[in-house]
Amino acid sequence: MFKTKKVAKRELILAEAAKLFKDRGYSGTSMRDLAGQVGMEAASMYNHIKSKDELLDTICFRISDTYISQLAEIEATAIPFSEKIKALVRLHIRLMVEDGAAVSVANHDWKYLPEPRLTEFKQARKNYEKGFAALIEAGIAAGEFRPVNVSVALFTVLSAVRWVELWYRPGRGLSAEELENNILTVLLGGLAQR
Amino acid sequence: MFKTKKVAKRELILAEAAKLFKDRGYSGTSMRDLAGQVGMEAASMYNHIKSKDELLDTICFRISDTYISQLAEIEATAIPFSEKIKALVRLHIRLMVEDGAAVSVANHDWKYLPEPRLTEFKQARKNYEKGFAALIEAGIAAGEFRPVNVSVALFTVLSAVRWVELWYRPGRGLSAEELENNILTVLLGGLAQR
């Protein structure tokens, strides 16, 4: 019981930290700001977390671990390549919609990670992009996808899902599912009528 | 002759300013830095330009004027809507490849424009997005495009061309023309084989 409460408190601190980092930037956020937001004394906050660095580390690697583990799962599943790409695109959009602040921090503030975690994070991102590109390449080889330049296809897909952060606001007439379906229609099917 | 030289000098200052603003940010660039880069005394630079603000203004509005005037030209041309979208996408990519520093400044540093120019710039961008969206909408109405959500289609296209800035480096095995063709294949035709 006590342990559950402690975990919940830590999760609350992480959630508020992600929001503050997103709004004010990592370097613009002090532990005092965070304590105020959470409604705790700064000193007692340290019963739950080690440091600002640790918060950033947890937020960034949770997001990258989610991508990496989903990619591994999708790679191991026997479905068409278009379904694999769809599953990854849906994951990106869902994470953005459900955990937007953390995704934003992982997208922008990862550069403040101290070494060796910075290098590990960059490597994880590279591995993810490589794995995603390999799925596109395999889909082309299998005759499922058009023979496009793999890097261009990869970054067109990744940029479309990444920009969702900048312009999509839930509850303004477009549900997360409609957003996913429409982006997938454009990326997989193309704008032009068949 | 003297006038031509003066124009050339002003153009040189603008080009170097765009590079510095891109690399160090607008607020991180001093007129002294710029003078050093151009190889002039700061004092004599003021024979050619009025202020740092004026440089930012010229760089941002040249880019937005280019977009707006091309859009107007394309709107007035009797070609299929897919060709109109293609022409706009090609314009974005070409501007990025040929004048990357200025595009980057117009994308990121426009927020430092002093009023009323800031509002004018935001309005110009909004008008451009509205005009672009209207072309997609008209293409759907004409049966040329799939019936997708217009905002999603617009931002998928704009994000694809915008991210070119972040990952494309000319001369690494992919020409600007190949880049355009591949992005257009994905956006218009879709990744999936027909």
Side-chain angles (χ1 to χ4, degrees):
Chain A
M1 183 67 190
F2 178 69
K3 210 169 177 183
T4 317
K5 253 192 186 163
K6 203 159 177 184
V7 169
K9 202 81 188 174
R10 188 178 147 82
E11 286 306 314
L12 174 70
I13 296 169
L14 279 163
E16 292 301 329
K19 280 188 221 159
L20 283 179
F21 294 166
K22 185 191 170 183
D23 292 343
R24 308 182 189 179
Y26 179 70
S27 35
T29 303
S30 72
M31 289 301 263
R32 183 182 295 263
D33 297 335
L34 178 57
Q37 198 69 22
V38 177
M40 292 176 87
E41 293 292 323
S44 58
M45 211 165 54
Y46 286 103
N47 291 324
H48 302 277
I49 51 138
K50 279 194 211 120
S51 63
K52 205 171 102 171
D53 277 357
E54 191 217 352
L55 289 168
L56 180 66
D57 190 281
T58 305
I59 294 166
C60 289
F61 279 90
R62 268 191 192 173
I63 296 292
S64 84
D65 289 351
T66 305
Y67 285 133
I68 294 280
S69 69
Q70 286 284 319
L71 175 66
E73 204 175 289
I74 286 164
E75 282 171 338
T77 313
I79 49 173
F81 291 103
S82 58
E83 294 303 320
K84 294 187 182 206
I85 301 298
K86 278 185 194 171
L88 284 175
V89 167
R90 286 189 198 278
L91 166 70
H92 275 266
I93 296 174
R94 213 155 287 177
L95 259 185
M96 190 83 80
V97 171
E98 286 169 10
D99 207 1
V103 170
S104 176
V105 171
N107 278 346
H108 302 287
D109 292 328
W110 56 268
K111 51 184 169 282
Y112 299 109
L113 287 167
E115 290 291 5
R117 297 293 271 169
L118 177 63
T119 300
E120 285 171 38
F121 186 84
K122 286 200 269 187
Q123 193 56 51
R125 198 178 50 177
K126 208 174 212 170
N127 290 343
Y128 181 75
E129 289 177 1
K130 265 192 188 167
F132 205 134
L135 289 180
I136 296 175
E137 205 161 5
I140 294 172
E144 252 194 73
F145 297 152
R146 294 160 180 276
V148 287
N149 178 287
V150 174
S151 297
V152 174
L154 173 70
F155 286 105
T156 301
V157 172
L158 290 182
S159 64
V161 294
R162 181 142 173 186
W163 252 45
V164 168
E165 181 194 338
L166 298 180
W167 66 267
Y168 177 69
R169 297 289 168 270
R172 283 209 203 147
L174 190 69
S175 72
E177 207 191 336
E178 288 169 323
L179 175 65
E180 286 172 21
N181 292 341
N182 277 282
I183 287 185
L184 285 170
T185 298
V186 176
L187 293 176
L188 270 300
L191 199 52
Q193 196 67 265
R194 295 198 174 201
Chain B
M1 184 68 192
F2 177 71
K3 208 167 181 184
T4 317
K5 254 193 186 162
K6 203 158 178 183
V7 169
K9 202 82 190 174
R10 187 176 148 82
E11 286 306 314
L12 173 71
I13 296 169
L14 280 163
E16 292 301 329
K19 282 188 219 158
L20 283 178
F21 294 167
K22 185 191 170 186
D23 292 342
R24 308 182 188 179
Y26 179 69
S27 33
T29 303
S30 71
M31 290 300 265
R32 182 181 295 264
D33 296 335
L34 179 56
Q37 199 67 24
V38 177
M40 290 176 87
E41 294 292 323
S44 58
M45 211 164 55
Y46 287 102
N47 290 326
H48 302 278
I49 52 138
K50 277 192 212 120
S51 63
K52 205 171 104 171
D53 278 357
E54 191 218 350
L55 288 169
L56 180 66
D57 191 282
T58 304
I59 294 167
C60 288
F61 279 90
R62 268 191 191 173
I63 296 292
S64 85
D65 289 350
T66 304
Y67 285 134
I68 295 279
S69 68
Q70 286 283 320
L71 176 65
E73 203 174 291
I74 286 164
E75 283 170 338
T77 312
I79 50 174
F81 290 103
S82 58
E83 294 303 318
K84 294 187 183 206
I85 302 297
K86 279 185 193 172
L88 284 175
V89 168
R90 287 189 197 279
L91 166 70
H92 275 265
I93 297 175
R94 213 154 290 175
L95 258 186
M96 190 83 80
V97 171
E98 287 169 8
D99 208 1
V103 170
S104 175
V105 171
N107 279 346
H108 302 288
D109 292 328
W110 56 267
K111 50 184 169 284
Y112 300 109
L113 286 168
E115 290 290 6
R117 296 294 271 170
L118 178 63
T119 300
E120 285 172 36
F121 186 84
K122 288 200 268 188
Q123 194 55 51
R125 198 176 50 177
K126 208 172 212 170
N127 290 343
Y128 180 74
E129 289 176 1
K130 265 193 187 165
F132 205 133
L135 290 180
I136 296 174
E137 204 160 8
I140 294 172
E144 251 193 75
F145 297 151
R146 293 160 178 276
V148 288
N149 178 288
V150 174
S151 296
V152 174
L154 173 69
F155 285 105
T156 301
V157 172
L158 290 183
S159 63
V161 292
R162 181 142 172 186
W163 253 46
V164 168
E165 181 195 337
L166 298 180
W167 66 269
Y168 178 69
R169 296 290 168 269
R172 283 208 203 148
L174 191 70
S175 72
E177 208 192 335
E178 286 168 324
L179 175 66
E180 285 172 21
N181 291 341
N182 276 283
I183 288 185
L184 285 169
T185 297
V186 175
L187 293 175
L188 271 299
L191 200 51
Q193 196 67 264
R194 295 198 175 199

